[in-house]
Amino acid sequence: MGTKTERGRGRKPPVGHLVIIGGGEDRKNDKAILSRFIQLAGGPESTILVLTAASTEPREMWQIYDEAFGALGVERRAHLEIRSRDEAGDAERAEKILHADGVFMTGGDQKRLLATIGGTLIDRAMHRVFRTRGACIAGTSAGASAMSEHMLATSDAHGGVPARDATHLAAGLGFLQRVVIDQHFSERQRLGRLLGIVAQNAYLLGIGIDENTALVVERGAGLEVLGEGAVTLIDGRQMRSNFLEVAQRERMELINVKLHLLPGGAHYELAADMPGELREAVAAVASVAMPAADPAEEKAA
C-alpha cells in the first residue's frame, strides 16, 4: 500500500483509512494495532494528533498515547485537548487537524465526545482531512463507537438474548453510514444488545469489535482485521422479527439473521472473489458513503 507521497505522484484521489479499535489495544509490547495506524498515516515521520474529548481525564489519557507513539518513533505527535464546544469551535485547533496525517480518538464516553465536538469545526476538519488528503482516522472504545452515523448511546441489555427497546442510538460522527459499532464485544458479551439494535433498525449493519482488535476500512476497497480477537458483522436486511409485537424489554424472535465472523489477520478486498452475502456486507462497510466534498474544500486542500 503506497504512502500519501506515492499516491500524490499519480492522479488518483487520496484513499483515506479508518482504524476502528474495540478497546484494550496493546500499548506496551509490540503495539501491532497502533503500528498499523502509524503506517497508514504515512509512517513515523507523519504528524499525529491525539483527541481526548471522550475522556474525563484527558491529560492522563494523553500521557498513555504520548509514550506509546513515542516508542513507535513518532516525533511529530501532539495532544489535541478539547474540553468544551467553544474549544471545539476554535479555528486554530481545527487548522492543526487540517495539517495532520492521522487523528486518534481515545476512549471514554462517546456521548461526551459527540456533545463536545459534534457539528463543530473540529468535526468538520476531521472529515475534510480524511476526504481531501487521505488522512487516517482512528478511534478506540468510545472513539470507535463514535465513528458511525448511528452511534450506540445507552443500553441496559443483559445476556445474549435481545430485548425490545433495551438499547438506544444517537447521532455519531458519520465516517461510516448505515452501520452501528459496538466495542469490547466478546469480552462483555454484547451480542444480544447488537442484535437488539439490528432488530429495531434492520437497515443497519451491526459491527462488534473485540478488545485488542481493529477493523481497518479502506474507502471503496475493502476491510482488514488486526489483533487477537475478531470482528462480528450482523446483517439483518433479510431478517424477520416480532419486534413490533412484543412489549418493551420483552425478548424477541429473530429469523434469518446473517452473522459473519472475521478473525484477526483476515483481508477482504472488493476486487477479490468472496461469497455473495459476505461481499454485500464488506461492500456496505467499505463504501464509506460520505457526502461529496465541497469543491472549495478540494481546491483549498
Side-chain angles (χ1 to χ4, degrees), residues 279-290:
R279 180 179 176 82
E280 289 179 7
V282 170
V285 178
S287 62
V288 195
M290 297 172 56

Side-chain angles (χ1 to χ4, degrees), residues 12-230:
K12 294 181 180 180
V15 175
H17 293 82
L18 304 176
V19 179
I20 311 170
I21 308 166
E25 72 280 359
D26 173 32
R27 308 161 196 156
K28 296 290 186 181
N29 300 309
D30 63 357
K31 309 177 190 66
I33 292 172
L34 298 182
S35 295
R36 183 69 171 132
F37 164 63
I38 295 302
Q39 181 186 26
L40 292 171
E45 69 278 9
S46 59
T47 298
I48 302 298
L49 294 182
V50 177
L51 177 61
T52 58
S55 176
T56 57
E57 299 179 335
R59 294 180 183 177
E60 290 81 355
M61 189 68 74
W62 157 242
Q63 184 176 1
I64 292 170
Y65 288 99
D66 182 31
E67 293 177 0
F69 290 137
L72 291 170
V74 179
E75 294 186 2
R76 294 200 296 268
R77 61 190 190 276
H79 182 198
L80 191 63
E81 184 175 1
I82 298 174
R83 294 177 177 266
S84 68
R85 289 188 67 81
D86 284 343
E87 292 181 350
D90 177 59
E92 185 175 341
R93 287 181 171 88
E95 189 69 19
K96 291 179 180 179
I97 287 181
L98 295 178
H99 291 89
D101 301 302
V103 179
F104 189 97
M105 295 182 287
T106 68
D109 182 342
Q110 56 261 39
K111 299 188 297 299
R112 172 185 292 273
L113 176 61
L114 266 294
T116 304
I117 72 167
T120 67
L121 284 179
I122 291 296
D123 183 356
R124 293 196 292 273
M126 284 198 295
H127 279 268
R128 179 175 165 184
V129 77
F130 173 74
R131 187 169 51 215
T132 63
R133 293 188 54 237
C136 186
I137 307 296
T140 184
S141 192
S145 288
M147 286 277 201
S148 54
E149 181 185 31
H150 297 81
M151 180 185 75
L152 195 154
T154 61
S155 177
D156 57 8
H158 301 285
V161 181
R164 176 172 176 169
D165 297 331
T167 304
H168 301 282
L169 300 179
L173 293 173
F175 286 99
L176 290 172
Q177 297 191 2
R178 299 184 75 101
V179 306
V180 64
I181 298 166
D182 206 350
Q183 14 79 10
H184 305 283
F185 192 66
S186 294
E187 292 77 10
R188 300 185 185 178
Q189 300 181 350
R190 288 178 166 173
L191 176 62
R193 78 176 190 177
L194 192 56
L195 283 168
I197 292 172
V198 173
Q200 185 174 346
N201 307 272
Y203 66 100
L204 294 179
L205 186 72
I207 302 177
I209 307 177
D210 293 346
E211 292 179 2
N212 198 24
T213 305
L215 176 66
V216 178
V217 181
E218 182 176 354
R219 184 168 53 172
L223 309 177
E224 175 185 358
V225 182
L226 306 172
E228 295 181 348

